[in-house]
Amino acid sequence: ILKPSSKASKNLSEHDLDQRISKVLIIFKLLEDKDVFQKFYSSNFSRRLIQHQYSPDMETHMISKLKEVCGYEYTYRLQRMFTDMDVSADLNKLFQQYLSEQPNLDVGPDFSAVVLTSGSWPLNPPKANFILPREVDRRQQLFEEFYKKEHNGR
């Protein structure tokens, strides 16, 4: 119901979505092992964020309801993932500005980076070596240089 493109949420009003979230929370409150729910929710939430298939308002509402039930600690990582996406969007704007200020720089194809906080995202490192195409690799190197200049010591 939290995916804006899903059939369940496309034709629902904000009030209807709120009611559905409330029903989910009724069931959630009955769960004995809320950590299992958190693991699955976190995994699906991260996928929605990375694929840009989420509604910020709906997700914020769900997280705030979970926070009411379980407290700040339970939702900290979820909130951190949201923050990472906002920071990454701002960082990409700054990177585009940085590139536009570089004369005679062949930057290659469009590039968008997402900088994630380690420990907050339920993602595993890739199991196989991944080699970027040369054009994309150049852009990634430029982004790394830009990021290191912007964030010394990170």
Side-chain angles (χ1 to χ4, degrees), residues 103-141:
N104 304 321
L105 183 64
D106 180 27
V107 293
D110 284 342
F111 179 88
S112 176
V114 180
V115 179
L116 309 177
T117 304
S118 63
S120 293
W121 291 77
L123 304 173
N124 296 322
K127 295 178 182 173
N129 289 336
F130 184 76
I131 300 171
L132 293 172
R134 185 175 53 228
E135 297 82 13
V136 177
D137 188 50
R138 174 69 182 130
R139 194 71 178 260
Q140 186 265 336
Q141 289 174 0

Side-chain angles (χ1 to χ4, degrees), residues 36-52:
V36 173
F37 176 89
Q38 182 187 38
K39 181 179 178 181
F40 283 103
Y41 183 83
S42 185
S43 177
N44 288 319
F45 180 53
S46 68
R47 197 171 300 119
R48 289 191 301 273
L49 290 175
I50 295 293
Q51 295 172 355
H52 300 285

Side-chain angles (χ1 to χ4, degrees), residues 42-97:
S42 185
S43 177
N44 288 319
F45 180 53
S46 68
R47 197 171 300 119
R48 289 191 301 273
L49 290 175
I50 295 293
Q51 295 172 355
H52 300 285
Q53 295 179 341
Y54 67 99
S55 166
D57 293 337
M58 286 189 287
E59 297 289 358
T60 301
H61 186 66
M62 180 67 175
I63 291 170
S64 69
K65 293 290 188 178
L66 288 171
K67 189 177 186 179
E68 287 175 17
V69 174
C70 296
Y72 175 79
E73 293 287 325
Y74 189 84
T75 58
Y76 174 76
R77 286 183 177 179
L78 301 172
Q79 292 171 321
R80 188 67 205 157
M81 286 190 263
F82 246 144
T83 302
D84 285 351
M85 295 305 290
D86 291 341
V87 169
S88 291
D90 293 342
L91 197 56
N92 278 300
K93 288 176 189 172
L94 290 172
F95 180 58
Q96 293 304 321
Q97 182 181 355

